[in-house]
């Protein structure tokens, strides 16, 4: 079968490349702590604004995506990522924190749109037996962006051992790559033209009315499947403020932060792809795979975070910045491997969430609402966690909260995993939509 731009796989790979360029570069910046600035307070408060707006517009972005389609929804989101990176470049010269914080809020709007459209495409375009594989492909390509961004930052800042803000050249490179992703977004095919190799088209609803769309979104708050996953959604980005700002940003030198991030995001690539293959294994039914997946991520997060609690006892907020560097040798290896396992856990956790939601429906319109709801709850947690980090909460307290939230997610995920069916049941799928609005296209 030859190359087809409108094939589901090509479209998911394309959105992976777009996220490589935009969110991937953002992740590379954000994981340096404070967006690469010595004074991390501005970056932390920008993240509070970002995730607050993300929470609001994440919920509404399902409706926006279902009206505009993925091309324009993702294009607008990418433009917002460029604005935020530009604000950090501006801050290097003006120290205008208000502009950076406002740009963070605008990015929250754009990120809500981009990630809702991405989630709908990633979950709706593949066939049921390939959903884990498509999630793994996307996650690998997307995180290559963060790896590349971290390599760039590491190369530019290699000779820096003391804390210092990123240089203009780093931000300019990131902006350029984001610009490429923004342009690629304009090439995305409309969902109505996406076809499988045998000519089958993806499922999608007609856009009813704005009132009907808002009602469908609000019904998600009555859907037990969404409600039992709320703790899992809430915890899925909560730990970023602790990992990026406290562990990486506080404990290590600026160049070592970049090296750590190369390996953190590389761990995500391997973790997501390998875990996705387990979730797609056809030798057992889908419920068994769900239980396998939940068991794996539970064991991994418990082991990793217990190690993290012991590590956190080695430094605290009242001490001067340790500024540990990779040239310290053996003493650096342990914290590095812990940080890599944080990345692997993150990838597996979010891969499992997307796979569970993908098991609930095959309809792109319904899944865009699921993705928006997920991003809304996820961003509420992230906004709270970045604020907790910004106000100077003791580091051990942050670590314990992260661990507790992850643990609280397991009962709801188990309840849903036990009820996963081998094939999507139309009566279940139609919980959030009007039956007369569903069509094949």
């Amino acid at each position: 079968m030859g190359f087809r731009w409108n094939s589901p796989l090509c479209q998911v790979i394309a959105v992976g490349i777009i996220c490589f360029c935009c969110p991937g570069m953002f992740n590379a910046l954000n994981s340096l702590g404070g967006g690469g600035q010595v004074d991390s307070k501005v970056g932390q408060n920008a993240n509070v604004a970002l995730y607050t707006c993300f929470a609001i517009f994440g919920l509404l972005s399902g409706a926006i995506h279902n009206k505009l389609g993925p091309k324009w929804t993702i294009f607008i989101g990418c433009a917002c990522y460029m604005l935020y990176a530009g604000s950090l470049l501006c801050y290097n010269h003006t120290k205008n924190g208000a502009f950076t914080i406002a740009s963070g809020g605008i990015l929250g709007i754009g990120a809500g749109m981009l990630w809702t459209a991405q989630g709908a495409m990633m979950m709706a375009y593949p066939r049921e037996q390939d959903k884990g594989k498509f999630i793994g492909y996307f996650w690998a390509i997307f995180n290559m962006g963060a790896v590349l961004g971290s390599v760039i930052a590491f190369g530019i800042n290699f000779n820096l051992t003391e804390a210092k803000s990123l240089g203009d050249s780093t931000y300019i490179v990131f902006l350029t790559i984001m610009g490429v992703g923004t342009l690629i977004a304009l090439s995305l095919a409309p969902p109505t033209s996406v076809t499988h190799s045998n000519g089958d088209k993806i499922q999608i609803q007609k856009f009813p009315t704005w009132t009907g769309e808002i009602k469908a979104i609000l019904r998600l708050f009555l859907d037990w499947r969404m409600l039992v996953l709320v703790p899992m959604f809430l915890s899925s980005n909560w730990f970023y403020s602790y990992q990026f700002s406290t562990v990486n940003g506080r404990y290590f030198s600026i160049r070592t932060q970049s090296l750590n991030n190369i390996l953190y995001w590389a761990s995500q690539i391997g973790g997501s792809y390998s875990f996705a293959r387990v979730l797609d294994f056809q030798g057992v039914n889908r419920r068994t795979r769900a239980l396998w997946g939940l068991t794996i991520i539970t064991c991994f997060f418990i082991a990793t975070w217990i190690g993290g609690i012991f590590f956190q006892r080695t430094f605290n907020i009242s001490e001067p910045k340790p500024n540990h560097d990779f040239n310290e040798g053996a003493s650096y290896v342990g914290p590095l491997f812990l940080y890599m396992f944080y990345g692997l856990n993150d990838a597996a956790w979010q891969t499992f969430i997307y796979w569970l939601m993908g098991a609930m429906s095959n309809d792109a319109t319904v899944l865009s609402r699921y993705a928006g709801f997920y991003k809304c709850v996820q961003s509420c947690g992230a906004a709270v966690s970045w604020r907790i980090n910004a106000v100077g909460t003791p580091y051990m307290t942050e670590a314990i909260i992260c661990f507790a939230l992850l643990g609280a997610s397991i009962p709801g995920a188990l309840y849903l995993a036990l009820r996963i069916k081998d094939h999507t049941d139309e009566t279940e799928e139609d919980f959030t939509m009007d039956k007369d609005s569903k069509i094949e296209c």
Side-chain angles (χ1 to χ4, degrees):
M1 191 71 181
F3 172 84
R4 289 189 304 111
W5 183 246
N6 66 333
S7 71
L9 181 59
C10 282
Q11 290 295 295
V12 171
I13 288 174
V15 81
I17 294 171
I18 292 166
C19 289
F20 169 104
C21 295
C22 295
M25 294 301 111
F26 168 80
N27 281 348
L29 282 174
N30 212 34
S31 54
L32 290 172
Q37 296 292 327
V38 172
D39 180 7
S40 62
K41 292 296 183 184
V42 171
Q44 290 164 339
N45 287 320
N47 277 321
V48 174
L50 188 164
Y51 287 110
T52 301
C53 293
F54 199 159
I56 297 169
F57 281 87
L59 186 63
L60 300 175
S61 289
I64 296 171
H65 167 264
N66 291 342
K67 181 65 176 177
L68 297 182
K71 178 172 76 173
W72 292 110
T73 305
I74 291 176
F75 174 80
I76 294 169
C78 289
C80 295
Y81 277 94
M82 291 188 67
L83 174 66
Y84 179 72
S87 76
L88 291 171
L89 175 61
C90 176
Y91 186 80
N92 267 0
H93 298 274
T94 65
K95 303 303 177 187
N96 185 354
F99 177 49
T100 301
I101 293 169
S103 298
I106 294 170
L107 173 56
I109 298 171
M113 295 172 66
L114 183 150
W115 282 107
T116 296
Q118 170 274 331
M121 293 173 67
M122 186 176 67
M123 294 185 288
Y125 284 15
R127 297 188 184 280
E128 288 187 345
Q129 67 269 23
D130 293 326
K131 293 200 176 191
K133 180 171 69 176
F134 274 52
I135 294 168
Y137 285 158
F138 167 81
W139 213 259
I141 297 168
F142 156 53
N143 281 309
M144 285 178 190
V147 170
L148 175 61
S150 300
V151 168
I152 293 169
F154 181 63
I156 291 174
N157 299 296
F158 181 77
N159 293 320
L160 297 177
T161 55
E162 295 185 0
K164 185 178 180 181
S165 297
L166 289 179
D168 289 358
S169 56
T170 308
Y171 289 121
I172 290 170
V173 170
F174 284 178
L175 270 167
T176 302
I177 296 172
M178 288 179 176
V180 172
T182 303
L183 293 175
I184 294 174
L186 295 175
S187 71
L188 291 173
T192 51
S193 69
V194 177
T195 57
H196 293 282
S197 57
N198 64 354
D200 287 349
K201 296 187 176 184
I202 64 167
Q203 292 180 12
I204 187 172
Q205 298 176 49
K206 293 176 181 177
F207 185 85
T209 62
W210 282 105
T211 301
E213 187 69 31
I214 296 300
K215 285 181 178 178
I217 292 170
L218 293 177
R219 288 191 197 108
L220 294 174
F221 290 93
L222 301 176
D223 187 339
W224 67 267
R225 299 167 300 175
M226 291 287 103
L227 296 179
V228 298
L229 289 179
V230 164
M232 202 169 200
F233 293 169
L234 191 70
S235 65
S236 60
N237 267 185
W238 187 288
F239 43 73
Y240 278 177
S241 61
Y242 171 73
Q243 292 174 1
F244 296 159
S245 186
T246 299
V247 176
N248 203 34
R250 178 72 178 174
Y251 190 76
F252 297 102
S253 66
I254 188 71
R255 68 176 184 176
T256 305
Q257 291 173 36
S258 300
L259 176 60
N260 292 346
N261 288 332
I262 294 171
L263 298 170
Y264 180 95
W265 298 114
S267 297
Q268 293 226 9
I269 294 171
S272 177
Y273 185 77
S274 301
F275 187 58
R277 304 303 288 183
V278 172
L279 296 174
D280 272 352
F281 177 64
Q282 297 301 303
V284 295
N285 63 37
R286 193 153 64 172
R287 180 181 302 168
T288 300
R289 283 177 271 145
L291 294 172
W292 283 1
L294 183 60
T295 301
I296 291 169
I297 61 172
T298 301
C299 292
F300 266 90
F301 100 74
I302 289 175
T304 301
W305 281 90
I306 287 176
I309 296 295
F310 279 99
F311 167 72
Q312 188 52 69
R313 296 173 63 187
T314 64
F315 71 107
N316 61 64
I317 195 170
S318 62
E319 298 172 348
K321 188 178 188 299
N323 216 41
H324 289 292
D325 195 72
F326 65 82
N327 65 8
E328 295 174 10
S331 63
Y332 165 68
V333 174
L336 169 65
F337 271 92
L338 173 66
Y339 198 64
M340 289 172 64
F341 272 96
Y342 280 149
L344 188 150
N345 275 271
D346 175 30
W349 197 261
Q350 296 205 56
T351 296
F352 189 61
I353 288 173
Y354 277 116
W355 185 84
L356 283 176
M357 291 191 295
M360 299 177 199
S361 177
N362 294 317
D363 189 293
T365 307
V366 174
L367 287 168
S368 72
R369 296 171 189 149
Y370 289 173
F373 184 87
Y374 165 42
K375 288 298 177 179
C376 168
V377 178
Q378 181 189 65
S379 299
C380 285
V384 173
S385 71
W386 278 105
R387 185 58 187 163
I388 288 172
N389 184 267
V391 298
T393 303
Y395 297 156
M396 183 61 78
T397 302
E398 284 190 89
I400 291 172
I401 292 173
C402 292
F403 191 12
L405 275 174
L406 291 166
S409 305
I410 302 305
L414 176 61
Y415 185 80
L416 179 59
L418 289 169
R419 288 157 180 80
I420 290 290
K421 299 179 180 179
D422 268 348
H423 301 288
T424 300
D425 186 335
E426 179 140 353
T427 58
E428 288 287 304
E429 181 179 335
D430 286 348
F431 187 93
T432 62
M433 61 178 159
D434 299 325
K435 288 185 179 291
D436 60 0
S437 70
K438 186 179 177 199
I439 61 171
E440 295 284 334
C441 68

